Amino acid sequence: MAMSLHLRQNSDMQCPMDGLLRMLMGPWTTYILWLIRSNGPQRFGQLRKQMPTISAKMLTERLRMLEEVGILHREQEETIPPKVTYSMTERGHDLNKVLDDLAKLAVKWDCPGAEKAAREKMPKKAS
Amino acid sequence: MAMSLHLRQNSDMQCPMDGLLRMLMGPWTTYILWLIRSNGPQRFGQLRKQMPTISAKMLTERLRMLEEVGILHREQEETIPPKVTYSMTERGHDLNKVLDDLAKLAVKWDCPGAEKAAREKMPKKAS
DNA sequence: GTAACTACTAACGAAAAAGTGCCTACTGGC
DNA sequence: GCCAGTAGGCACTTTTTCGTTAGTAGTTAC
């Protein structure tokens, strides 16, 4: 904790994207968004089945975070066993447009270079 | 390394964005791009001065990665002391358009929610 | 003659992130 | 009566990430 009383990285600097990127950056985040957009609102367990290697803890955490920033909506039925469904908010749809553009770029480039670098020099978990 | 012979997270799945996001996601990545776009080609030391809290190791690593995926161009003069200048490639400019959109979104939302969540539930370093 | 300058690299260690296993509550099927 | 099933929470362990320190080279300024 070298800089707790300092600039927190550059979040206090002039770049307004910081918060947004920090959110998208999280592991699995965009993959979750993609699943919900493609297949509609879904329950916790359904999402989990589509991401065989995610841990429950991680999935919970990501979903909670996406809810907190207002991108996903969480609907809970208090039955037992419980039933929780996640869907996109309006804000979520805003985001999808940008993500689409990003996806187009990814397809356009689709170079082995990116593949290679992704394996070596970048954070391990994305999507 | 639970799954080295397996799906590596979901990178082997259908999402083509994975590599691209893994790249943008890295700490400081977009901040570096922003600096170079705003102020033009720059040398290692100049960049460093503008990011007082980054370590040399980190900066080197990020720059190398951006070079590897073809977003930055690295030009080295073999003098001693050496002189290395980084500039944007064409591909880099492609990216900037999308990043601009992202920035617009960030400004549009600019909610305390994002701020708050950014502090708590997301990876520590972005920009 | 030595100290500073630049753009790094390698090795080490601390801190943060993520995985694992165990727990909950009530209902429904055997 | 017993076990499975849902959506997690909590504590503990492992993995990953990142900063710090030390070192490189030859020229130039003191």
Side-chain angles (χ1 to χ4, degrees):
Chain A
M1 200 149 293
M3 32 176 331
S4 40
L5 301 175
H6 252 190
L7 291 176
R8 189 183 304 92
Q9 300 298 331
N10 39 17
S11 14
D12 297 331
M13 300 178 73
Q14 55 278 71
C15 182
M17 271 206 284
D18 192 77
L20 183 52
L21 278 163
R22 272 235 276 286
M23 185 210 70
L24 289 178
M25 250 174 50
W28 301 99
T29 307
T30 59
Y31 192 53
I32 292 170
L33 294 179
W34 183 66
L35 285 176
I36 293 185
R37 178 177 50 162
S38 307
N39 308 340
Q42 281 174 77
R43 295 181 50 189
F44 184 89
Q46 284 180 288
L47 288 169
R48 199 138 96 95
K49 273 177 208 120
Q50 293 167 87
M51 300 180 267
T53 65
I54 200 175
S55 66
K57 178 182 163 193
M58 182 88 276
L59 182 52
T60 301
E61 190 182 291
R62 296 286 99 194
L63 289 171
R64 286 280 148 78
M65 182 273 292
L66 288 169
E67 189 199 355
E68 214 172 339
V69 297
I71 287 175
L72 289 187
H73 174 66
R74 179 170 186 273
E75 200 177 347
Q76 180 168 13
E77 290 179 47
E78 286 290 8
T79 59
I80 288 181
K83 194 171 187 177
V84 181
T85 304
Y86 295 91
S87 54
M88 285 239 161
T89 62
E90 191 128 346
R91 178 169 285 199
H93 293 298
D94 276 9
L95 197 54
N96 279 331
K97 257 195 75 215
V98 183
L99 290 180
D100 275 343
D101 288 349
L102 218 54
K104 271 179 219 148
L105 213 56
V107 172
K108 175 179 165 193
W109 293 355
D110 191 73
C111 61
E115 280 287 319
K116 181 169 163 286
R119 260 183 252 295
E120 289 163 8
K121 286 291 189 177
M122 295 172 211
K124 282 287 160 52
K125 325 250 180 60
S127 303
Chain B
M1 204 151 292
M3 30 177 335
S4 37
L5 301 176
H6 252 188
L7 291 175
R8 189 182 305 90
Q9 298 298 328
N10 39 15
S11 13
D12 297 330
M13 299 177 76
Q14 55 277 69
C15 181
M17 270 205 286
D18 192 78
L20 182 53
L21 278 163
R22 274 235 275 286
M23 184 210 71
L24 289 179
M25 254 174 47
W28 300 98
T29 307
T30 58
Y31 191 55
I32 292 169
L33 294 179
W34 182 65
L35 284 177
I36 293 186
R37 178 177 49 162
S38 307
N39 308 341
Q42 281 172 80
R43 294 180 53 186
F44 184 90
Q46 283 180 289
L47 289 169
R48 200 137 96 95
K49 272 176 208 123
Q50 292 166 88
M51 299 179 267
T53 64
I54 200 174
S55 67
K57 179 183 164 192
M58 182 87 277
L59 182 52
T60 301
E61 191 183 290
R62 297 284 97 196
L63 289 170
R64 284 281 149 78
M65 180 274 289
L66 288 168
E67 187 198 357
E68 215 172 339
V69 297
I71 288 175
L72 289 186
H73 173 67
R74 178 170 186 275
E75 200 178 347
Q76 178 167 16
E77 289 179 48
E78 286 289 7
T79 58
I80 288 180
K83 194 171 186 177
V84 182
T85 304
Y86 295 91
S87 54
M88 285 237 162
T89 61
E90 192 127 348
R91 177 169 288 200
H93 293 298
D94 276 9
L95 197 54
N96 279 330
K97 256 194 76 215
V98 183
L99 290 180
D100 275 343
D101 288 348
L102 218 53
K104 271 178 219 148
L105 212 56
V107 172
K108 175 180 165 192
W109 292 356
D110 191 75
C111 59
E115 280 289 317
K116 180 169 164 285
R119 261 182 251 295
E120 287 162 11
K121 287 287 187 181
M122 297 172 211
K124 285 284 162 54
K125 326 246 180 62
S127 304

